[in-house]
Amino acid sequence: MLGILLGLIVLMALAYLGWSIIWVAPIAAGVVAVTGGLDLLDAYKDTYMGGFVDFAKAWFPVFMLGAIFGKLMEDTGMARSVAVALTKLIGTKRAILGVLASAAVLTYGGVSLFVVVFAVYPLALSLFREANISRKLIPATVALGAFTFTMTAIPGTPQIQNLIP
């Protein structure tokens, strides 16, 4: 049990320091294996890589189709048109609510978070300028609409963190 806790601490500390999870996860798994008395090479080859490959194989269609759908939404301009329609409905005086709702609808519709940011930012910039609101609030507004409740709290959202469980 101590090895698992130590591996978790290593994982959190290195991730906090900005290390890529691609490097951090095998290191943390190695810490767990060594403290658990397992052979490091066997634990890495069989347990860690076996689990990783099974996960990647099972979820590859979701990753691939999500990426294709997001790219299609971006290239056709559909993501931007949804954002524009929502902000017209809400009005320019409520620019923050309009940007938040646009980001939320796009994210809940399955558009990737990164696509949402690039689709909504130009619209948010013009709305905030028209409503005389500081541009410094745009990242927080987009993040609130795209990165919070639509990713985790609303049932049925097609975001990957909800599909995996």
Side-chain angles (χ1 to χ4, degrees), residues 108-156:
Y108 194 69
V111 179
S112 169
L113 302 173
F114 302 109
V115 175
V116 169
V117 169
F118 291 115
V120 173
Y121 182 77
L123 177 68
L125 192 58
S126 63
L127 281 174
F128 276 46
R129 189 176 296 132
E130 189 175 326
N132 199 20
I133 300 173
S134 173
R135 290 177 10 171
K136 294 178 182 178
L137 293 177
I138 292 175
T141 305
V142 173
L144 178 61
F147 304 165
T148 57
F149 62 94
T150 56
M151 283 179 40
T152 56
I154 303 174

Coordinates of all heavy atoms in Angstrom, one line a residue, residues 108-156:
Y108 N -20.8 20.4 -25.2 CA -21.8 19.4 -24.9 C -22.2 18.7 -26.2 O -22.6 17.5 -26.1 CB -23.0 20.0 -24.2 CG -23.9 18.9 -23.6 CD1 -23.4 18.1 -22.5 CD2 -25.1 18.6 -24.1 CE1 -24.2 17.1 -22.0 CE2 -25.9 17.5 -23.6 CZ -25.4 16.8 -22.5 OH -26.2 15.8 -22.0
G109 N -22.0 19.3 -27.3 CA -22.3 18.7 -28.6 C -21.2 17.8 -29.0 O -21.4 17.1 -30.1
G110 N -20.1 17.7 -28.3 CA -19.0 16.8 -28.7 C -17.9 17.4 -29.4 O -16.9 16.8 -29.7
V111 N -17.9 18.8 -29.5 CA -16.7 19.4 -30.1 C -15.6 19.5 -29.1 O -15.8 19.7 -27.9 CB -17.1 20.9 -30.6 CG1 -15.9 21.6 -31.2 CG2 -18.3 20.8 -31.5
S112 N -14.4 19.2 -29.6 CA -13.2 19.2 -28.7 C -13.0 20.5 -28.0 O -13.3 21.6 -28.6 CB -12.0 18.8 -29.5 OG -10.8 19.1 -28.8
L113 N -12.5 20.5 -26.9 CA -12.2 21.7 -26.1 C -11.4 22.7 -26.9 O -11.6 23.9 -26.9 CB -11.6 21.4 -24.8 CG -12.4 20.5 -23.9 CD1 -11.5 20.1 -22.7 CD2 -13.6 21.1 -23.4
F114 N -10.4 22.2 -27.5 CA -9.4 23.1 -28.3 C -10.1 23.7 -29.5 O -9.9 24.9 -29.8 CB -8.2 22.3 -28.7 CG -7.5 21.6 -27.6 CD1 -7.5 20.3 -27.4 CD2 -6.8 22.4 -26.7 CE1 -6.9 19.7 -26.3 CE2 -6.1 21.9 -25.6 CZ -6.2 20.5 -25.4
V115 N -11.0 23.0 -30.1 CA -11.8 23.5 -31.2 C -12.7 24.6 -30.7 O -12.9 25.7 -31.4 CB -12.5 22.4 -32.0 CG1 -13.4 23.0 -33.1 CG2 -11.6 21.4 -32.6
V116 N -13.3 24.4 -29.6 CA -14.2 25.4 -29.0 C -13.5 26.7 -28.7 O -14.0 27.7 -29.0 CB -14.9 24.8 -27.7 CG1 -15.6 25.9 -26.9 CG2 -15.8 23.7 -28.0
V117 N -12.3 26.6 -28.1 CA -11.5 27.8 -27.8 C -11.3 28.6 -29.1 O -11.5 29.8 -29.1 CB -10.2 27.4 -27.1 CG1 -9.3 28.6 -27.0 CG2 -10.5 26.9 -25.7
F118 N -10.8 27.9 -30.2 CA -10.5 28.6 -31.4 C -11.8 29.1 -32.1 O -11.7 30.1 -32.8 CB -9.7 27.8 -32.3 CG -8.3 27.6 -31.8 CD1 -7.8 26.3 -31.4 CD2 -7.4 28.7 -31.6 CE1 -6.6 26.1 -30.9 CE2 -6.2 28.5 -31.1 CZ -5.7 27.2 -30.7
A119 N -12.9 28.4 -31.9 CA -14.1 28.8 -32.6 C -14.8 30.0 -31.9 O -15.4 30.9 -32.5 CB -15.1 27.7 -32.7
V120 N -14.7 30.0 -30.6 CA -15.5 31.0 -29.8 C -14.6 32.3 -29.5 O -15.2 33.4 -29.4 CB -15.9 30.4 -28.5 CG1 -16.5 31.4 -27.5 CG2 -16.9 29.3 -28.7
Y121 N -13.3 32.2 -29.5 CA -12.5 33.3 -29.2 C -12.7 34.6 -30.1 O -12.9 35.7 -29.6 CB -11.0 33.0 -29.2 CG -10.1 34.2 -28.8 CD1 -10.0 34.5 -27.5 CD2 -9.5 34.9 -29.8 CE1 -9.3 35.6 -27.1 CE2 -8.7 36.0 -29.4 CZ -8.6 36.4 -28.1 OH -7.9 37.5 -27.7
P122 N -12.7 34.4 -31.4 CA -13.0 35.6 -32.2 C -14.3 36.2 -32.0 O -14.5 37.5 -31.9 CB -12.9 35.1 -33.7 CG -12.2 33.8 -33.6 CD -12.4 33.3 -32.3
L123 N -15.3 35.4 -31.8 CA -16.7 35.9 -31.4 C -16.7 36.6 -30.1 O -17.2 37.7 -29.9 CB -17.6 34.7 -31.5 CG -19.1 35.1 -31.1 CD1 -19.7 35.9 -32.2 CD2 -19.8 33.8 -30.9
A124 N -16.0 36.0 -29.1 CA -15.9 36.6 -27.8 C -15.2 37.9 -27.8 O -15.6 38.9 -27.1 CB -15.2 35.6 -26.8
L125 N -14.2 38.0 -28.6 CA -13.4 39.3 -28.7 C -14.3 40.4 -29.2 O -14.4 41.5 -28.7 CB -12.2 39.0 -29.6 CG -11.2 40.1 -29.7 CD1 -10.6 40.4 -28.3 CD2 -10.1 39.7 -30.6
S126 N -15.1 40.1 -30.3 CA -15.9 41.2 -30.8 C -17.1 41.5 -29.9 O -17.5 42.7 -29.7 CB -16.5 40.8 -32.2 OG -17.3 39.6 -32.1
L127 N -17.7 40.5 -29.2 CA -18.8 40.8 -28.3 C -18.3 41.5 -27.1 O -18.9 42.5 -26.6 CB -19.4 39.4 -27.8 CG -20.4 38.8 -28.8 CD1 -20.8 37.4 -28.2 CD2 -21.6 39.7 -29.0
F128 N -17.1 41.2 -26.6 CA -16.6 41.9 -25.4 C -16.2 43.3 -25.8 O -16.4 44.2 -25.0 CB -15.4 41.2 -24.8 CG -15.7 40.0 -23.9 CD1 -16.7 39.1 -24.2 CD2 -15.1 39.9 -22.7 CE1 -17.1 38.1 -23.4 CE2 -15.4 38.9 -21.8 CZ -16.4 38.0 -22.2
R129 N -15.7 43.5 -26.9 CA -15.4 44.9 -27.4 C -16.7 45.7 -27.5 O -16.7 46.9 -27.1 CB -14.7 44.8 -28.7 CG -14.1 46.2 -29.1 CD -13.3 46.1 -30.4 NE -12.1 45.3 -30.2 CZ -11.7 44.3 -31.0 NH1 -12.4 44.0 -32.1 NH2 -10.6 43.6 -30.8
E130 N -17.7 45.1 -28.1 CA -19.0 45.9 -28.3 C -19.6 46.2 -26.9 O -20.3 47.2 -26.7 CB -19.9 45.0 -29.1 CG -21.2 45.8 -29.6 CD -22.0 45.0 -30.5 OE1 -21.4 44.2 -31.3 OE2 -23.2 45.1 -30.5
A131 N -19.5 45.2 -26.0 CA -20.1 45.4 -24.7 C -19.2 46.2 -23.7 O -19.6 46.4 -22.5 CB -20.5 44.1 -24.1
N132 N -18.0 46.6 -24.2 CA -17.1 47.3 -23.3 C -16.7 46.6 -22.1 O -16.6 47.1 -21.0 CB -17.6 48.7 -23.0 CG -16.5 49.7 -22.6 OD1 -15.3 49.4 -22.9 ND2 -16.9 50.7 -21.8
I133 N -16.3 45.3 -22.3 CA -15.9 44.4 -21.2 C -14.4 44.1 -21.5 O -14.0 43.9 -22.7 CB -16.7 43.1 -21.2 CG1 -18.2 43.4 -20.9 CG2 -16.2 42.2 -20.1 CD1 -19.1 42.2 -21.0
S134 N -13.6 44.0 -20.5 CA -12.2 43.8 -20.6 C -11.9 42.4 -21.3 O -12.5 41.4 -21.0 CB -11.5 43.8 -19.3 OG -10.1 43.4 -19.4
R135 N -10.9 42.4 -22.2 CA -10.5 41.1 -22.9 C -10.0 40.1 -21.9 O -9.9 38.9 -22.2 CB -9.5 41.4 -24.0 CG -10.0 42.2 -25.1 CD -8.9 42.5 -26.1 NE -7.6 41.8 -25.9 CZ -6.6 41.8 -26.7 NH1 -6.8 42.4 -27.9 NH2 -5.5 41.2 -26.5
K136 N -9.5 40.6 -20.8 CA -8.9 39.7 -19.8 C -9.9 38.7 -19.2 O -9.5 37.6 -18.7 CB -8.3 40.5 -18.6 CG -7.2 41.4 -19.0 CD -6.7 42.2 -17.9 CE -5.6 43.1 -18.3 NZ -5.1 44.0 -17.2
L137 N -11.2 38.9 -19.4 CA -12.2 38.0 -18.9 C -12.5 36.9 -19.9 O -13.3 35.9 -19.6 CB -13.5 38.7 -18.5 CG -13.3 39.6 -17.3 CD1 -14.6 40.4 -17.1 CD2 -12.9 38.9 -16.1
I138 N -12.0 37.0 -21.2 CA -12.4 36.0 -22.2 C -11.9 34.6 -21.8 O -12.7 33.6 -21.9 CB -11.9 36.4 -23.6 CG1 -12.6 37.7 -24.1 CG2 -12.0 35.3 -24.6 CD1 -12.1 38.2 -25.4
P139 N -10.6 34.4 -21.4 CA -10.2 33.0 -21.1 C -11.1 32.4 -20.0 O -11.4 31.2 -20.1 CB -8.8 33.1 -20.7 CG -8.3 34.4 -21.3 CD -9.5 35.3 -21.4
A140 N -11.4 33.1 -19.0 CA -12.2 32.6 -17.9 C -13.6 32.2 -18.3 O -14.2 31.2 -17.9 CB -12.2 33.6 -16.7
T141 N -14.2 33.1 -19.2 CA -15.5 32.9 -19.7 C -15.6 31.6 -20.6 O -16.5 30.8 -20.4 CB -16.0 34.1 -20.4 OG1 -15.9 35.2 -19.6 CG2 -17.5 33.9 -20.9
V142 N -14.6 31.5 -21.5 CA -14.6 30.3 -22.3 C -14.3 29.1 -21.5 O -14.9 28.0 -21.7 CB -13.5 30.5 -23.5 CG1 -13.4 29.2 -24.2 CG2 -13.9 31.6 -24.4
A143 N -13.4 29.2 -20.5 CA -13.1 28.0 -19.7 C -14.3 27.6 -18.9 O -14.6 26.4 -18.7 CB -11.9 28.3 -18.8
L144 N -15.0 28.5 -18.4 CA -16.2 28.2 -17.6 C -17.3 27.5 -18.4 O -17.9 26.5 -18.0 CB -16.9 29.4 -17.0 CG -18.1 29.2 -16.2 CD1 -17.9 28.3 -15.0 CD2 -18.7 30.6 -15.7
G145 N -17.4 27.9 -19.7 CA -18.4 27.3 -20.5 C -17.9 26.0 -21.1 O -18.7 25.1 -21.4
A146 N -16.6 25.8 -21.3 CA -16.2 24.6 -22.1 C -15.5 23.6 -21.2 O -15.5 22.4 -21.5 CB -15.2 25.0 -23.2
F147 N -14.8 24.0 -20.1 CA -14.0 23.1 -19.3 C -14.6 22.6 -18.0 O -14.0 21.8 -17.3 CB -12.6 23.7 -19.0 CG -11.9 24.3 -20.1 CD1 -10.8 25.1 -19.9 CD2 -12.1 23.9 -21.4 CE1 -10.1 25.6 -21.0 CE2 -11.4 24.4 -22.5 CZ -10.3 25.2 -22.2
T148 N -15.8 23.1 -17.7 CA -16.3 22.8 -16.3 C -17.5 21.9 -16.4 O -17.4 20.7 -16.5 CB -16.6 24.1 -15.5 OG1 -17.5 24.8 -16.3 CG2 -15.3 24.9 -15.3
F149 N -18.7 22.4 -16.2 CA -19.9 21.6 -16.1 C -20.2 20.8 -17.3 O -20.8 19.7 -17.2 CB -21.1 22.5 -15.7 CG -21.4 23.5 -16.7 CD1 -22.4 23.3 -17.6 CD2 -20.8 24.8 -16.7 CE1 -22.8 24.2 -18.5 CE2 -21.2 25.7 -17.6 CZ -22.2 25.5 -18.5
T150 N -19.9 21.2 -18.5 CA -20.2 20.4 -19.7 C -19.4 19.2 -19.8 O -19.7 18.3 -20.5 CB -20.2 21.3 -21.0 OG1 -18.8 21.8 -21.1 CG2 -21.2 22.4 -21.0
M151 N -18.2 19.2 -19.2 CA -17.3 18.1 -19.3 C -17.6 17.0 -18.3 O -17.4 15.8 -18.5 CB -15.9 18.5 -19.1 CG -15.3 19.2 -20.3 SD -13.6 19.7 -20.0 CE -12.8 18.4 -19.1
T152 N -18.2 17.4 -17.1 CA -18.3 16.4 -16.0 C -19.6 16.4 -15.4 O -20.0 15.3 -14.9 CB -17.2 16.8 -14.9 OG1 -17.5 18.2 -14.5 CG2 -15.8 16.7 -15.4
A153 N -20.4 17.4 -15.3 CA -21.6 17.4 -14.5 C -22.8 17.0 -15.2 O -23.8 16.5 -14.6 CB -21.8 18.8 -13.8
I154 N -22.9 17.3 -16.5 CA -24.1 17.0 -17.2 C -24.1 15.6 -17.8 O -23.1 15.2 -18.5 CB -24.4 18.0 -18.3 CG1 -24.4 19.4 -17.8 CG2 -25.6 17.7 -19.1 CD1 -24.4 20.5 -18.8
P155 N -25.1 14.8 -17.4 CA -25.0 13.4 -17.9 C -25.2 13.3 -19.5 O -25.9 14.1 -20.1 CB -26.2 12.7 -17.2 CG -27.0 13.7 -16.5 CD -26.2 15.0 -16.6
G156 N -24.5 12.4 -20.1 CA -24.6 12.1 -21.5 C -23.7 12.9 -22.4 O -23.7 12.7 -23.6

